[in-house]
Amino acid sequence: MIKLENVTKIYKNKATSTTALRGISLSIERGEFVSIVGTSGCGKTTLLNIIGCMDTLTDGKYFYDDVCVSDLSVKEQHEFRKEHIGFVFQHFELMHSYTVYENVEMPLLARNVKKPDRKKKVNSYLEMVGILDLAGKLPSHLSGGQQQRCAIARALAAETELIIADEPTGAIDSRTSAGIMELLTNLNEKGKTVIIVTHDINIAKQCNRIIEIEDGRLVNS
Amino acid sequence: MKNRIRFMFAWHKIVLNFKSFISSILVMTISLILIAFSLFFYHGTQYVENQYDHTLTKGMSRSGIFGFTSHPYRDYDIMNELYNSKEIESIGSTTLGGNDFECFSELRAIQSGNASDYVNSISGFLEILWINKTLLGFSELKLDTGNMITDQEINDGVMYMYLGSAYKDKVELGTIYEESNSKFQVQGFLERGSTWIDPDTINGIYVTDANNVLELENSVIVADDYIHVGGLFFSISDGTTRDEAVKAITDIADKHEREITVGFLDDMYKSENEDTRLLISYIVRIMAVVVFSSLVMISCLQIVAILNDRRTYGILYSIGANEKDIGAIIIYENIIRAIFSFLLCSIGILPIVHNWYGGDILWSPFKEIVLQKVLPVVFISLIPIAIISCLAPLIFLHRTTPSQLIGGKND
């Protein structure tokens, strides 16, 4: 499903350049539940952003099935992301001025889903993550765990086969983290390919496969 | 993403960032008012010139005034001689005056009944527009019925009257009014829309004077031979140059040992309004600078707004929006700004018109200048302002990855 060949990412500014990824090559199959682990600053979020087309690579190739994603134009990458990838961010990244319902509805609006279908889907995703009763609330009125569930529901609403989660338990307590991981595991069991980034090895062990990165290099896949 | 959804996002962003929206509205509105102000100045002067040119048979460049330096004694001779010369088409004086003759009670009742439309109505008097017979061709006075007599010979002491279209169904053609050895006969009714130059023009033509032309709906014109004021209007014949006309006038004046001054209306207008016209030419040039500056300022404000709100755009990308969606949201925001600014500018221009012409906003210049000339141009100029000021923000978003917009750590 996903194949990275010798992927390198260098961040340049006027004074310095920083190599975040050094020749990463790996592949991820459809239906896997993968965690990418490493210490802070090792390049795991950068790798996730490249897989999710939220950032560009400096060198190497990125394939998704038969498509060379790294060769797509910016416009094509937006469309690719829309079709294939759902995101969950560490700090939830919900729209604070919209309700839970409206946040989950957004990917469906971006995909021109009709109103009756939208309502049905939003409610089903909210129910799936266990926060249907919070639909009318603003994110600021939710706990960390509830906000992360909302973010997961929003990613589900994108109806993509791949879900990418950057430190999904990073901003919440351990008890709530367990609930979130259970949710992600369920999604994987239902056929979603899930890739998470975490610095917590205990969280990583709950996945089927662990990819270790150290100083921008692949240590263990 | 549908346009309705894009618009909804744009509107919601405006509501959330209301202070920023107000700042940009103020910048845009001030710029538009300055543009409208410049256009109004320009068209305001053109309005005065157009009024005269539409009314005068020969236009401003071939019509003029010559003034006597002493009381008009024996000036009938000069007037008749000039009228008979090939260089001069029409010549004479004109004035507005009130008349309280009892015989005019019928006409007075009709005129005062329409007083709200009659700008120069004098209470209790019949307002008469006196025009020398030899000057009737100065403006394109057309009769709906009757006969325009320009023969300078007085006929049985009868003075000919020409009434505005408001009198047509109320007074009979040929009606005679007599009082105090004066005899007036209705010789014709003017066509609807007839106009005559304001007799006050003899004292000067000013860009701030919108009442340069009289509409004659309710007017009573008396054609006579009496020189009312110390100056005569004239127009020159086709085929005669301005220099030839001036020479003819001065030769005749010299022959009668009279000192006169001669000037054409366009020259008078330019010299009397030289400072204003110079100011207007600078203002029009400044307008171009204003448009450019407003583009820069609005672009900067937009870039700042986008930098402050880049996280939102990053999230929109992550949920499936594309560049077209984001671009449309930004453009819709700008369109909303533009509409509000235009409405504020339209209101803001009113005191400018009011102060320029003094007193009440006169409907005719407001409609002709502001509604037909100024606001359409201001509206059209909004389109490039709204679109071009989006370019820098759109380029910024195009060159920034979604992860940079969200601002996550690079680890």
Side-chain angles (χ1 to χ4, degrees):
Chain A
M1 183 190 187
I2 291 171
K3 192 173 175 189
L4 300 177
E5 289 178 0
N6 212 31
V7 165
T8 300
K9 176 68 181 179
I10 302 172
Y11 292 102
K12 286 181 185 172
N13 58 31
K14 283 181 188 171
T16 57
S17 66
T18 306
T19 305
L21 297 176
R22 301 166 199 271
I24 301 267
S25 295
L26 59 85
S27 60
I28 296 171
E29 298 304 322
R30 190 166 264 105
E32 284 198 270
F33 188 2
V34 178
S35 67
I36 302 173
V37 295
T39 54
S40 181
C42 69
K44 52 187 188 300
T45 297
T46 303
L47 178 63
L48 204 69
N49 284 336
I50 286 171
I51 293 172
C53 296
M54 294 285 277
D55 205 346
T56 53
L57 46 82
T58 309
D59 200 7
K61 293 281 183 195
Y62 166 24
F63 292 92
Y64 190 103
D65 289 336
D66 297 325
V67 177
C68 183
V69 179
S70 47
D71 287 346
L72 295 177
S73 66
V74 170
K75 185 180 167 184
E76 287 166 338
Q77 286 197 1
H78 288 311
E79 289 304 310
F80 176 84
R81 188 190 319 112
K82 181 175 164 181
E83 204 177 323
H84 294 284
I85 302 167
F87 276 92
V88 179
F89 297 98
Q90 178 180 2
H91 297 288
F92 326 129
E93 305 297 353
L94 298 172
M95 302 265 208
H96 294 296
S97 55
Y98 293 90
T99 63
V100 165
Y101 182 95
E102 287 164 345
N103 268 280
V104 176
E105 192 186 26
M106 276 182 200
L108 299 170
L109 290 171
R111 288 155 178 82
N112 295 327
V113 174
K114 289 193 164 67
K115 193 169 182 179
D117 294 333
R118 278 204 316 265
K119 192 171 178 181
K120 210 188 294 182
K121 286 177 192 243
V122 170
N123 286 335
S124 78
Y125 294 130
L126 287 174
E127 193 172 7
M128 199 185 288
V129 302
I131 56 169
L132 182 59
D133 55 327
L134 302 175
K137 290 194 180 289
L138 292 173
S140 56
H141 298 160
L142 305 180
S143 67
Q146 288 167 337
Q147 288 188 57
Q148 195 60 294
R149 286 174 185 272
C150 178
I152 292 170
R154 186 179 65 184
L156 287 172
E159 297 188 332
T160 54
E161 57 177 342
L162 174 63
I163 290 180
I164 288 176
D166 185 2
E167 300 272 11
T169 60
I172 49 185
D173 61 81
S174 55
R175 188 176 160 194
T176 313
S177 297
I180 297 297
M181 285 309 296
E182 187 185 333
L183 185 54
L184 291 173
T185 305
N186 285 339
L187 292 175
N188 176 246
E189 284 169 0
K190 283 178 181 165
K192 300 278 185 195
T193 306
V194 180
I195 304 173
I196 69 168
V197 152
T198 181
H199 64 275
D200 186 339
I201 195 68
N202 294 319
I203 295 290
K205 281 178 181 174
Q206 294 179 48
C207 304
N208 297 337
R209 179 176 160 202
I210 296 174
I211 295 173
E212 271 186 73
I213 293 185
E214 191 178 311
D215 197 25
R217 289 193 175 86
L218 201 60
V219 171
N220 183 16
S221 65
Chain B
M1 202 182 274
K2 286 188 178 157
N3 278 328
R4 187 176 56 83
I5 305 300
R6 292 165 174 170
F7 184 84
M8 183 197 80
F9 270 113
W11 182 258
H12 203 229
K13 280 180 81 295
I14 283 171
V15 170
L16 286 175
N17 300 302
F18 194 65
K19 280 184 191 169
S20 164
F21 175 70
I22 294 295
S23 306
S24 56
I25 290 281
L26 280 174
V27 169
M28 221 183 237
T29 303
I30 290 168
S31 307
L32 291 180
I33 287 179
L34 288 172
I35 293 170
F37 189 61
S38 312
L39 286 168
F40 176 74
F41 258 12
Y42 174 76
H43 287 296
T45 58
Q46 290 298 112
Y47 176 79
V48 172
E49 290 180 52
N50 290 342
Q51 276 200 313
Y52 279 113
D53 276 335
H54 285 140
T55 293
L56 300 172
T57 310
K58 300 292 180 182
M60 285 179 92
S61 62
R62 296 178 70 78
S63 305
I65 298 171
F66 74 91
F68 297 99
T69 55
S70 59
H71 189 277
Y73 176 64
R74 285 170 52 208
D75 290 324
Y76 299 106
D77 301 333
I78 294 175
M79 192 167 84
N80 291 334
E81 203 166 327
L82 281 168
Y83 186 67
N84 289 322
S85 73
K86 62 177 173 54
E87 290 86 359
I88 301 299
E89 178 84 9
S90 57
I91 184 166
S93 71
T94 178
T95 190
L96 274 170
N99 187 290
D100 61 354
F101 280 2
E102 202 51 48
C103 64
F104 288 145
S105 58
E106 174 192 31
L107 297 176
R108 207 158 51 235
I110 296 168
Q111 190 179 81
S112 62
N114 295 327
S116 61
D117 294 322
Y118 199 54
V119 175
N120 294 311
S121 171
I122 300 172
S123 173
F125 290 78
L126 176 68
E127 184 158 305
I128 295 177
L129 178 60
W130 299 91
I131 304 175
N132 291 157
K133 274 184 270 191
T134 50
L135 190 64
L136 286 171
F138 194 61
S139 170
E140 301 231 26
L141 287 176
K142 288 182 183 157
L143 293 183
D144 180 74
T145 46
N147 208 13
M148 185 75 75
I149 297 172
T150 58
D151 185 350
Q152 71 269 32
E153 294 295 325
I154 297 171
N155 183 16
D156 293 332
V158 175
M159 284 180 278
Y160 300 130
M161 292 179 103
Y162 301 96
L163 306 182
S165 55
Y167 302 90
K168 191 180 167 195
D169 297 325
K170 297 171 186 167
V171 175
E172 276 195 36
L173 192 66
T175 302
I176 291 175
Y177 301 95
E178 274 188 80
E179 189 162 326
S180 299
N181 299 322
S182 296
K183 207 172 179 183
F184 305 87
Q185 186 177 34
V186 177
Q187 207 63 29
F189 297 96
L190 297 168
E191 259 185 22
R192 213 172 168 77
S194 294
T195 54
W196 184 257
I197 189 171
D198 184 352
D200 261 348
T201 302
I202 207 84
N203 297 319
I205 308 170
Y206 300 102
V207 293
T208 53
D209 187 358
N211 285 325
N212 302 298
V213 162
L214 304 177
E215 295 185 5
L216 303 177
E217 294 286 308
N218 294 289
S219 291
V220 172
I221 294 173
V222 174
D224 69 350
D225 300 302
Y226 182 70
I227 296 176
H228 299 275
V229 293
L232 301 180
F233 288 103
F234 70 91
S235 61
I236 61 180
S237 306
D238 292 337
T240 301
T241 65
R242 287 157 58 117
D243 288 341
E244 284 168 350
V246 170
K247 188 173 184 308
I249 293 169
T250 50
D251 283 351
I252 290 170
D254 287 343
K255 181 179 155 190
H256 290 269
E257 294 174 357
R258 296 300 306 278
E259 286 181 23
I260 60 165
T261 56
V262 185
F264 286 92
L265 294 182
D266 57 342
D267 289 337
M268 283 170 58
Y269 179 65
K270 280 174 195 162
S271 71
E272 282 161 7
N273 299 285
E274 193 55 44
D275 290 344
T276 308
R277 288 164 65 85
L278 193 62
L279 178 66
I280 287 164
S281 71
Y282 284 124
I283 286 172
V284 170
R285 283 171 217 176
I286 287 168
M287 186 179 83
V289 175
V290 165
V291 171
F292 178 75
S293 304
S294 69
L295 275 173
V296 171
M297 282 172 70
I298 293 163
S299 293
C300 290
L301 282 170
Q302 287 216 278
I303 288 174
V304 167
I306 280 172
L307 283 173
N308 286 339
D309 208 18
R310 61 186 185 276
R311 179 182 156 275
T312 301
Y313 294 109
I315 294 169
L316 284 172
Y317 277 129
S318 75
I319 59 147
N322 55 28
E323 281 192 333
K324 212 169 156 186
D325 296 324
I326 305 294
I329 291 170
I330 292 171
I331 288 172
Y332 278 133
E333 276 187 68
N334 249 13
I335 289 171
I336 294 167
R337 267 191 206 96
I339 290 169
F340 274 96
S341 301
F342 179 73
L343 291 172
L344 288 172
C345 169
S346 303
I347 295 166
I349 194 73
L350 293 178
I352 293 172
V353 177
H354 175 90
N355 286 316
W356 180 253
Y357 286 118
D360 297 329
I361 293 172
L362 304 171
W363 179 243
S364 179
F366 178 77
K367 190 170 75 170
E368 283 184 42
I369 302 172
V370 176
L371 293 185
Q372 291 179 9
K373 295 193 169 116
V374 172
L375 289 182
V377 173
V378 168
F379 186 78
I380 288 166
S381 69
L382 268 177
I383 297 169
I385 288 175
I387 292 173
I388 292 171
S389 61
C390 290
L391 286 179
L394 288 175
I395 291 168
F396 167 75
L397 285 173
H398 177 75
R399 295 177 68 165
T400 310
T401 64
S403 65
Q404 286 171 321
L405 289 170
I406 290 176
K409 292 188 302 181
N410 295 326
D411 64 352

